[in-house]
Amino acid sequence: MSDNNTRTGRYHGNDNGTKAPRPKRPRPLWRTILYWALGIIFAGILAGVGLFAVYAAGAPKITTAQLTSQNSTEILDSDGKVVSNLGSQNRTYVHSDQIPKELKQSVVSIEDKRFYKHHFGIDPTRIISAALSNARGSSLGMQGGSTLTQQLVKLSVFSTAASDRTLKRKAQEAALAYYVEKHYSKDQILEFYINKVYMGNGIYGMGTAAKYYYNKSLSDLDYVQLATLAGMPQSPTNYDPVAHPDLAKARRDTVLKAMYENKVISKAQMNAGINTAISSGISVNHSINDTDSDDKVIDAYLQQVIKELDNKGYNPYKDGLEVYTNLNMGAQQRLYDIVNTDKYVDFPSELLQVGVTMTDPETGAVTAMIGGRKQNVAFGLNRATQTDRSSGSTIKPFMDYGPAIEYNKWPTFKTVQDTKYNYPGTNTALNDWDQQYQGALTMRKALVESRNIPAIRTLEAVGLDNATKFMAANGMSFKDPLVYSNGIGVYVSSEQEAAAFSALSNGGTYYAPHLVNKVVTQDGATHRFSVKSHRSMSEATAYMLTDMLKGVPTGDWAPNAQISGLHQAGKTGQSGYSSSVTTVPSNAVEDAWYTGYTKHSTISVWTGYDQPNEPGHYMTTAQLAIAESVYKNLQLYMAQTQENDDWTRPSSVDVVKHNGVNELVVAGSNWRQYLNGNSKDQSSATGSSSSAVSFSSFNGSSSSTSSTNESDGRSSETQSSQGSGNNGNSESSSVSSSTSSSTSTPAASSQSHAQ
């Protein structure tokens, strides 16, 4: 019988009789993966905690002054001087004992119902609850997982811009919230919050809002009205009970439901509140919202600054910013005086309106803007940026002649025909302002004298595709395709025109117009913004157009824009009434423009009436000069501090002699194909066509330009039009083009009129 010690599988030993160790079994793969995963998670947590700690340690200081001060935003001009302080004069501070308990309950219920239960500034329970509620779509409008304390910190120190919603900011926000919770009582924190929040219409704090919306103090409001105020900070513009009563009521009702769920009102009170009209107790007397006199001067500019900030993700009413703008306050004041006093321009009526934009051609910076005259309301209609009035002939350099030079290499002496003409593919005749035909003209003469038929013939030769491309490159894009009638008028704004003509001035680079230079947030961080720019045309095109357009203010075509000795260029534009409008004289004008520029300032001016079809709301041909006069007086002001530089001819442009006149051609182009065989033409390799002029004042008589004035008097350009769906256009039979819609069918020609 065998020994039991030697049975296989029962005993493992050595020869000396000692027990051998059992061999290790390999660890299961799943367990290895689990250990590694747990290790990685733990390491990630440690790294996250460490990074959070590093970020939190770098949090800015927070003081009682920051917590109690309102979040007013300073608007500064190009010299760094404060020109507006949004909301600084519109707040009444209320202390905790002056705040009704119903308001405190409303705010806590809708913003942070566990406010009195958490004591670290953040609330993990709320974060999880808010996430789940949002997922179910039943968050009652709560603002994520932020506590009231976190919201107060954000309002006091950080901006609300999307670019600032980073892990670093969240860590610092949490650290400061913890600090606030440890150093201030709950009632103090609630007091700070109620006094700091933005409540719309340039006012801060719920105490001020009570006076603004109800003309009462907080203590005189009932719980339903207080619930209305408590719901507004999330979106004060949308929840304005006067401007948006339906949205305001829905928000108020949400607050009332949150109060009921938080057991601070009964179900009967909730239902009674929901059945109360949002207009109950609302006052139309908003006397506290006075407009500062300086704000009236910069109203349109300030309005655009706020829009630009909003597009960049900032809320100037919540973020407490320092906004450095490109505003030339001296020029802005002069522009305001030009259009609002009788010192500079003779306006026929207080109802005649203007829209003006001035830009720096080298940067695209908007340096001054006026949205209207004789306005007594803040943030009224900004006519400098509206795009529902026809440009008239100011568009010809970009729709017609610019593309002809850029794509077809036309010289300035290119012959264009001013003869009987129908719009391409139609039987619709196009006429000029004087119902006359001048036959063969040079492109220079046709542009300066603003002849319509040569312009559309040029557009036909260029093609609508090239014209559309050239327009878009210079900041004028349209929803619908352009048509031939748009060659003598589209719907654009003075801001768009100023930016486009600036590209002519600087040699062919388009800069997007912009008002904001930089923003400094409450934590001291400076945010600068790049300016969108691109080459929109060749140097040759820009120079040749400018050289031709010099003939407008230096000749007889814009006499009120003439400034002796100043190197400048520009273009007039007018639009007349449709022939279907019988309530105006035959020579009535609906819109009048002048856009002009130097090397350092581009100014675009629109004039007209807001309701042009009302009795007496039209301009006569004699009043076309108003737009030119506004331009001239502002340009005179700018010339006092700017160099009087002329444009230098680039190497891509040559000068040739044509019929005894210096004309321009694109270097290397086949310009000889456009020569008239009967004329005595010869090329001339001359130097720059610009001549130097000693310029010490505007009272002298010296003036230089390579342009040749070939006209004997001034036209009104104006032609009436007919057809449905358009406002009429002075240079066309039909124009219908806007930022949102640019298509039209050329209407039948109608009786035109001359000056």
Side-chain angles (χ1 to χ4, degrees):
M1 186 169 66
S2 62
D3 193 325
N4 288 336
N5 290 336
T6 63
R7 291 177 182 175
T8 302
R10 297 288 301 272
Y11 174 78
H12 296 278
N14 296 323
D15 292 342
N16 60 8
T18 62
K19 183 183 288 188
R22 187 182 297 272
K24 291 184 178 180
R25 294 180 180 179
R27 178 183 297 164
L29 179 61
W30 67 267
R31 187 175 297 175
T32 300
I33 295 174
L34 177 61
Y35 288 162
W36 274 103
L38 291 174
I40 292 172
I41 292 173
F42 183 70
I45 292 173
L46 287 178
V49 171
L51 183 62
F52 186 91
V54 171
Y55 284 157
K61 301 292 185 182
I62 190 167
T63 64
T64 303
Q66 288 174 298
L67 294 169
T68 57
S69 66
Q70 63 193 103
N71 285 18
S72 59
T73 287
E74 290 184 338
I75 307 296
L76 302 93
D77 65 10
S78 58
D79 291 328
K81 297 179 180 178
V82 177
V83 295
S84 183
N85 207 324
L86 298 178
S88 63
Q89 71 275 33
N90 288 338
R91 186 178 72 154
T92 300
Y93 195 93
V94 289
H95 295 281
S96 182
D97 58 359
Q98 300 171 307
I99 301 173
K101 69 174 183 178
E102 292 88 350
L103 178 59
K104 295 179 181 179
Q105 292 169 340
S106 298
V107 171
V108 169
S109 296
I110 191 63
E111 296 293 350
D112 185 4
K113 68 179 182 180
R114 287 175 43 82
F115 176 67
Y116 292 105
K117 297 179 181 179
H118 60 75
H119 301 281
F120 297 98
I122 61 174
D123 183 8
T125 301
R126 174 179 166 80
I127 294 173
I128 297 172
S129 176
L132 293 175
S133 296
N134 286 327
R136 294 193 302 266
S138 60
S139 64
L140 287 178
M142 292 188 297
Q143 300 189 6
S146 295
T147 64
L148 269 172
T149 312
Q150 286 176 280
Q151 292 181 49
L152 174 62
V153 167
K154 187 182 298 183
L155 290 171
S156 302
V157 180
F158 302 115
S159 83
T160 59
S163 58
D164 282 342
R165 296 171 190 168
T166 62
L167 177 61
K168 180 179 180 180
R169 283 288 185 266
K170 284 295 183 182
Q172 294 177 343
E173 177 186 302
L176 292 179
Y178 176 78
Y179 175 88
V180 170
E181 288 271 3
K182 293 303 178 184
H183 289 80
Y184 301 93
S185 69
K186 291 290 186 178
D187 272 357
Q188 285 178 304
I189 294 171
L190 199 53
E191 175 189 315
F192 297 154
Y193 176 85
I194 287 173
N195 281 282
K196 182 173 284 289
V197 288
Y198 179 60
M199 299 297 288
N201 296 290
I203 58 176
Y204 293 83
M206 296 183 186
T208 318
K211 293 182 179 179
Y212 182 84
Y213 293 108
Y214 296 101
N215 199 25
K216 294 180 179 179
S217 64
L218 281 175
S219 60
D220 293 328
L221 300 183
D222 61 37
Y223 76 98
V224 180
Q225 294 165 333
L226 293 171
T228 300
L229 298 182
M232 289 184 65
Q234 187 188 70
S235 183
T237 299
N238 289 328
Y239 298 144
D240 182 331
V242 177
H244 303 286
D246 292 340
L247 293 175
K249 183 181 185 305
R251 177 61 174 172
R252 181 205 64 186
D253 293 350
T254 297
V255 176
L256 291 170
K257 292 174 184 176
M259 293 174 68
Y260 169 68
E261 291 190 0
N262 210 27
K263 297 180 174 58
V264 294
I265 62 173
S266 67
K267 188 172 184 178
Q269 287 177 304
M270 178 188 73
N271 290 333
I274 290 174
N275 291 326
T276 301
I278 193 69
S279 59
S280 176
I282 290 292
S283 171
V284 295
N285 178 20
H286 303 319
S287 59
I288 65 167
N289 194 29
D290 295 329
T291 301
D292 185 84
S293 59
D294 288 340
D295 283 355
K296 290 182 180 180
V297 174
I298 65 172
D299 183 77
Y301 198 97
L302 184 59
Q303 183 180 162
Q304 289 305 113
V305 166
I306 293 172
K307 289 183 178 180
E308 194 168 309
L309 289 171
D310 182 66
N311 290 336
K312 296 179 185 300
Y314 294 98
N315 186 332
Y317 294 111
K318 290 184 177 181
D319 294 346
L321 310 170
E322 291 180 9
V323 182
Y324 292 80
T325 71
N326 300 312
L327 176 66
N328 181 326
M329 191 58 198
Q332 182 69 32
Q333 182 66 61
R334 175 58 58 88
L335 179 55
Y336 180 86
D337 293 341
I338 289 170
V339 303
N340 284 287
T341 69
D342 298 328
K343 183 178 180 180
Y344 301 93
V345 179
D346 184 18
F347 286 91
S349 166
E350 288 195 357
L351 297 177
L352 181 62
Q353 283 297 342
V354 300
V356 186
T357 303
M358 181 168 71
T359 59
D360 179 349
E362 293 300 322
T363 65
V366 177
T367 53
M369 177 180 285
I370 281 286
R373 55 187 297 268
K374 304 296 183 179
Q375 296 192 142
N376 296 316
V377 296
F379 294 168
L381 175 63
N382 187 354
R383 299 165 186 84
T385 58
Q386 74 178 72
T387 57
D388 62 348
R389 303 301 285 260
S390 174
S391 65
S393 287
T394 55
I395 207 61
K396 289 177 180 176
F398 300 94
M399 187 77 179
D400 310 321
Y401 299 109
I405 300 172
E406 183 76 7
Y407 305 120
N408 294 12
K409 310 302 179 188
W410 281 15
T412 56
F413 63 79
K414 170 69 171 66
T415 299
V416 289
Q417 296 295 326
D418 188 9
T419 56
K420 187 176 181 180
Y421 179 78
N422 291 342
Y423 279 107
T426 75
N427 294 321
T428 304
L430 172 64
N431 296 309
D432 278 302
W433 60 269
D434 56 1
Q435 293 289 296
Q436 301 294 318
Y437 304 114
Q438 294 192 11
L441 306 174
T442 65
M443 179 170 64
R444 180 188 296 276
K445 180 178 174 68
L447 174 58
V448 170
E449 297 186 13
S450 207
R451 306 297 292 179
N452 293 334
I453 293 174
I456 301 303
R457 286 186 184 275
T458 300
L459 175 57
E460 184 179 9
V462 166
L464 288 171
D465 288 345
N466 278 337
T468 299
K469 180 169 65 173
F470 193 82
M471 291 272 285
N474 288 283
M476 292 173 283
S477 297
F478 305 92
K479 179 181 178 181
D480 297 319
L482 295 169
V483 295
Y484 283 107
S485 61
N486 295 134
I488 42 184
V490 295
Y491 293 161
V492 292
S493 68
S494 69
E495 184 182 51
Q496 287 176 296
E497 285 218 351
F501 277 83
S502 286
L504 300 183
S505 177
N506 67 39
T509 299
Y510 176 82
Y511 291 94
H514 57 284
L515 294 78
V516 177
N517 183 17
K518 66 178 181 179
V519 169
V520 179
T521 50
Q522 291 185 94
D523 58 353
T526 298
H527 304 265
R528 299 181 183 275
F529 310 102
S530 60
V531 179
K532 294 181 180 179
S533 64
H534 59 266
R535 177 157 290 282
S536 61
M537 68 187 81
S538 67
E539 287 185 282
T541 299
Y543 182 80
M544 291 169 68
L545 284 171
T546 293
D547 190 72
M548 291 188 289
L549 291 173
K550 283 182 175 182
V552 177
T554 58
D556 295 326
W557 300 95
N560 285 71
Q562 291 181 1
I563 302 175
S564 181
L566 180 68
H567 297 298
Q568 62 167 328
K571 185 70 188 78
T572 56
Q574 295 93 42
S575 65
Y577 284 84
S578 166
S579 59
S580 62
V581 179
T582 59
T583 57
V584 298
S586 60
N587 65 342
V589 177
E590 186 171 346
D591 304 281
W593 292 70
Y594 187 78
T595 301
Y597 58 99
T598 66
K599 284 275 289 182
H600 305 291
S601 291
T602 302
I603 303 169
S604 181
V605 183
W606 166 85
T607 58
Y609 288 89
D610 289 338
Q611 290 85 33
N613 293 325
E614 293 291 321
H617 289 198
Y618 62 86
M619 288 181 287
T620 65
T621 52
Q623 293 165 355
L624 301 179
I626 292 175
E628 299 166 20
S629 296
V630 172
Y631 162 84
K632 177 179 179 178
N633 281 281
L634 183 56
Q635 197 68 274
L636 279 169
Y637 177 85
M638 299 305 297
Q640 296 175 19
T641 56
Q642 293 178 338
E643 296 295 326
N644 182 34
D645 298 320
D646 199 359
W647 290 271
T648 301
R649 178 170 58 84
S651 60
S652 55
V653 175
D654 289 333
V655 181
V656 300
K657 189 76 72 176
H658 180 267
N659 288 337
V661 176
N662 284 343
E663 296 282 7
L664 304 178
V665 301
V666 178
S669 67
N670 186 19
W671 54 268
R672 288 178 176 81
Q673 65 178 308
Y674 301 115
L675 291 174
N676 186 333
N678 295 324
S679 64
K680 298 178 181 180
D681 302 311
Q682 58 181 352
S683 62
S684 175
T686 64
S688 172
S689 61
S690 303
S691 57
V693 173
S694 175
F695 183 84
S696 58
S697 71
F698 291 104
N699 297 322
S701 59
S702 63
S703 177
S704 80
T705 176
S706 62
S707 305
T708 301
N709 178 30
E710 303 178 78
S711 60
D712 295 322
R714 184 185 184 216
S715 76
S716 84
E717 302 181 17
T718 308
Q719 176 185 351
S720 61
S721 62
Q722 67 181 22
S724 61
N726 67 78
N727 288 337
N729 183 274
S730 62
E731 291 88 2
S732 68
S733 297
S734 171
V735 169
S736 179
S737 174
S738 69
T739 301
S740 61
S741 176
S742 62
T743 57
S744 68
T745 301
S749 62
S750 59
Q751 182 68 31
S752 61
H753 48 81
Q755 182 178 2

